[in-house]
Amino acid sequence: MKKFKKNIGEIDRLPELAREILQFTGTKRVFAFHGEMGSGKTTIIKQLCRELGSHDNFSSPSYSIVNEYLVEPGEEKIYHIDLYRLKTLTKP
């Protein structure tokens, strides 16, 4: 597993960061973000989705567990999964 770590310092650099992450990962597009609640995980995920061409409304799936975003009709789907509320691998 490859790891990518970078401190951008300013939120206006998110598009640049998202492009760097996508370039770093190539066609392997399964990401795991780890951080405290409110640390900005959903914010960077929103930018990654935008860079991949999604125009959906993005939100944290903290309560729904999984959000699905469409890129373009007939194209790939993006799944945003929040494991914070899961207590076991079989039950929420």
Side-chain angles (χ1 to χ4, degrees):
M1 173 175 45
K2 298 191 307 185
K3 292 185 180 184
F4 183 94
K5 184 176 180 178
K6 185 169 187 174
N7 184 346
I8 62 166
E10 298 174 14
I11 199 160
D12 63 337
R13 295 189 58 210
L14 279 178
E16 173 188 339
L17 175 63
R19 286 188 294 273
E20 286 181 32
I21 291 171
L22 293 172
Q23 183 178 22
F24 177 78
T25 58
T27 59
K28 305 283 185 190
R29 301 256 169 93
V30 176
F31 305 109
F33 291 89
H34 183 272
E36 297 295 322
M37 213 178 228
S39 63
K41 298 178 299 293
T42 295
T43 302
I44 188 60
I45 290 167
K46 288 177 187 180
Q47 191 61 50
L48 286 166
C49 291
R50 287 184 185 118
E51 290 296 322
L52 289 169
S54 180
H55 301 288
D56 282 347
N57 292 320
F58 309 106
S59 63
S60 175
S62 292
Y63 296 100
S64 62
I65 312 257
V66 178
N67 288 348
E68 178 182 283
Y69 310 121
L70 298 176
V71 176
E72 291 293 330
E75 296 289 325
E76 63 190 49
K77 294 178 184 177
I78 300 167
Y79 296 96
H80 179 188
I81 303 167
D82 189 327
L83 304 177
Y84 177 78
R85 298 173 63 79
L86 294 182
K87 301 206 184 322
T88 69
L89 292 177
T90 57
K91 291 184 185 178

